[in-house]
Amino acid sequence: MKASLKPLASQVVVITGATSGIGLTTARMAAAEGAALVLAARDGAALRQLAAELEAGGADVLTVATDVGVRTEVEQLGQAAIARFGRIDTWVNNAGISMFGRHEEVSEEDGQRLFQTNFWGVVHGSLEALRQMRDRGGALINLGSELSDCAVPLQGMYAASKHAVKGFTDSLRMEIERDRIPISVTLIKPAAIDTMFTAHARNYLPHEPQVPPPVYAPELVARAILHAASHRRRDIYVGGASRLMSLGNFHLPRLFDRLAEATMFRLQQSDRPALPDRRDALHASGGNALQQRSGLQQQPVCERSPYTSLSLRAGPLMTALLWGGAAYAAYAACTAVAGTRARSAS
């Protein structure tokens, strides 16, 4: 049985990680479209502030302070949504965190906490969404990353968690479809996004971390999430760079390894020394609540993605053509770089 997804204005939408970045942008955009919202994050004060803002604009909002890494708290989130609205139409597993550092430097405690949020938070949310939407149907939307399909040095634990999210999401989708449960399951794979991502990340580097270009606006991800709330989609790549990374890593893995080794140690570190008293959000909610963007990008932020916009509107044939064009572009770019490096070495 295929999921029959409602117009967004008629939906009750659960969003985790709702007080900054992509989650905050999605909550504001969904409220503007008329959706009723159930918003979750660890910071209860920030949630109350956000609820007041959205309710002033006429939105119907419930907030539930939730650590997605704790299954009982996620279950309470689902139960609170049902108690208030009687149903859930879309569940967005957005909460996530990163850390920058070499594997041999990252503590086991920090690695486990990252997985507790990024992976187990998605597992907890997905299973609660399945339990609450099994009969009525709806949309389950999980936030992966371009690093769901490839990897980079210095963010190895984050990449590993996003690979795990992809494996879990894809296998859960198969089980749901096999049982003919009317739930659409979508994995969103953003490229680098201008959010509080680096400010909230645990840092082991000698310099403050940064995301490598190209960097896209969080509004692009929010639009993709809300599109998936009312349209059945298996995967959505946000930013042409995300699709190029995925294709390039699949078709030319060793070349992309070499490119990452040559560039990503430099591109993921700014020229600012690491702050000795920086406050991250790995183990507890950090600062910068209700901030969508970092304001720290030294390069322009891409406010549009022609690839993503067209892929959301395109049918299967057009999407296949887009992917073929992207694959060719990735191949041409990589072979050009490889040729330049070979000439330089000779």
Side-chain angles (χ1 to χ4, degrees):
M1 182 186 301
K2 288 187 176 181
S4 179
L5 305 180
K6 300 176 182 177
L8 192 60
S10 302
Q11 288 201 26
V12 176
V13 180
V14 175
I15 303 173
T16 68
T19 54
S20 71
I22 292 169
L24 175 60
T25 308
T26 305
R28 286 171 169 163
M29 199 174 290
E33 293 291 329
L37 298 175
V38 182
L39 305 179
R42 288 178 292 181
D43 189 337
L47 283 171
R48 290 189 293 272
Q49 183 182 347
L50 177 57
E53 171 197 322
L54 300 180
E55 287 170 347
D60 194 355
V61 181
L62 170 67
T63 62
V64 184
T66 306
D67 182 340
V68 297
V70 180
R71 181 164 187 167
T72 55
E73 294 192 19
V74 177
E75 291 172 348
Q76 290 166 5
L77 170 63
Q79 292 163 6
I82 296 299
R84 170 71 174 269
F85 294 108
R87 69 181 197 282
I88 298 169
D89 300 301
T90 292
W91 186 297
V92 183
N93 286 310
N94 164 74
I97 191 70
S98 189
M99 69 173 88
F100 289 78
R102 295 173 178 266
H103 282 294
E104 60 187 340
E105 299 171 342
V106 172
S107 74
E108 182 176 341
E109 179 186 12
D110 285 351
Q112 289 180 347
R113 176 66 251 196
L114 182 146
F115 259 81
Q116 200 65 31
T117 299
N118 290 11
F119 175 68
W120 284 106
V122 169
V123 172
H124 298 158
S126 297
L127 296 180
E128 182 63 19
L130 175 58
R131 182 161 38 250
Q132 301 294 353
M133 298 194 296
R134 176 183 294 273
D135 297 327
R136 300 182 186 88
L140 171 61
I141 302 169
N142 290 341
L143 266 291
S145 167
E146 62 184 352
L147 300 186
S148 294
D149 294 337
C150 56
V152 294
L154 303 184
Q155 281 195 86
M157 293 302 289
Y158 178 79
S161 72
K162 292 301 184 178
H163 274 64
V165 166
K166 179 183 185 299
F168 170 78
T169 302
D170 289 349
S171 60
L172 179 63
R173 183 188 300 107
M174 296 175 196
E175 294 173 4
I176 286 173
E177 291 179 347
R178 175 64 175 79
D179 292 342
R180 299 178 62 81
I181 299 170
I183 295 177
S184 170
V185 180
T186 302
L187 182 63
I188 308 287
K189 300 177 184 179
I193 305 297
D194 181 23
T195 64
M196 302 309 296
F197 181 83
T198 56
H200 288 167
R202 175 63 52 95
N203 184 35
Y204 285 83
L205 304 176
H207 294 84
E208 283 296 301
Q210 65 181 11
V211 289
V215 180
Y216 295 85
E219 286 80 2
L220 299 179
V221 190
R223 292 190 194 104
I225 290 171
L226 298 183
H227 181 88
S230 54
H231 300 79
R232 288 176 56 86
R233 293 296 297 264
R234 185 183 191 275
D235 302 282
I236 299 177
Y237 294 84
V238 181
S242 175
R243 189 55 177 148
L244 288 174
M245 286 282 286
S246 176
L247 287 166
N249 188 76
F250 181 81
H251 293 288
L252 301 165
R254 286 303 292 153
L255 178 57
F256 267 65
D257 285 351
R258 297 298 187 189
L259 288 171
E261 292 164 11
T263 62
M264 286 299 170
F265 287 89
R266 172 177 53 85
L267 291 177
Q268 293 185 97
Q269 297 189 68
S270 71
D271 55 5
R272 295 173 291 120
L275 298 174
D277 57 347
R278 79 189 314 271
R279 180 186 176 189
D280 61 59
L282 180 62
H283 291 278
S285 59
N288 314 112
L290 304 192
Q291 189 167 337
Q292 293 182 188
R293 302 196 187 198
S294 70
L296 299 175
Q297 293 303 320
Q298 298 178 347
Q299 66 276 349
V301 175
C302 302
E303 302 292 337
R304 295 184 298 170
S305 169
Y307 168 82
T308 301
S309 297
L310 187 54
S311 69
L312 293 180
R313 296 194 300 265
L317 177 59
M318 181 59 70
T319 302
L321 292 173
L322 282 170
W323 288 358
Y328 176 78
Y331 174 78
C334 291
T335 52
V337 171
T340 300
R341 292 182 65 193
R343 289 191 295 273
S344 299
S346 60

